[in-house]
Structures are given as structure tokens and as C-alpha cells.
Amino acid sequence: MTKGEPEPPEDQGNRNLENAVMLGFFAVLVAAGVWLLGSMADIRKVQDCAAQGRRNCATIEVPERAR
């Protein structure tokens, strides 16, 4: 090596692992945020329905019939 070139970092493998962990954490954080926003939207719809005085605001899930 010459004097003008910087030395490569010795912990490059550790840095790659840290980047992978941070990416995983960020992906989990984004997924949790999307789930939370969806839940809040569903709750808001039910609350808006109830605030209008309706009585059939809850969603009813009917299982499919087996043929």
C-alpha cells in the first residue's frame, strides 16, 4: 500500500451484519406501521357508523358454504 491510500476497515463483515439487522428492524417497523394504520382505519369506520346512530355497524363474517 502507498501512503495516500486509506486502509480498508477490518470489521467489514461485522458492519454487513449490522446493516442486515438494521434492515430487518426497519422492515418490521414498516410492517407494524402498515398494520396499525389499517386497524385504525377499521376502527374509525365503526366509530363513524355508531356516531351516526346506526345499529348494524359491526362487520359480520359469514363462512363460505362447502359444496
Side-chain angles (χ1 to χ4, degrees):
M1 296 191 79
T2 62
K3 280 187 171 181
E5 295 178 22
E7 293 183 22
E10 294 178 11
D11 61 340
Q12 186 66 29
N14 191 20
R15 188 169 187 176
N16 289 339
L17 179 63
E18 290 176 2
N19 289 342
V21 169
M22 290 300 289
L23 180 64
F25 177 74
F26 181 70
V28 168
L29 190 63
V30 168
V34 169
W35 172 77
L36 184 61
L37 287 175
S39 296
M40 289 173 60
D42 292 341
I43 291 171
R44 185 180 62 230
K45 287 178 187 177
V46 172
Q47 287 179 344
D48 288 345
C49 178
Q52 293 174 0
R54 298 185 200 166
R55 293 203 256 177
N56 58 349
C57 297
T59 58
I60 300 172
E61 296 182 18
V62 180
E64 292 185 27
R65 296 187 318 183
R67 294 183 180 198

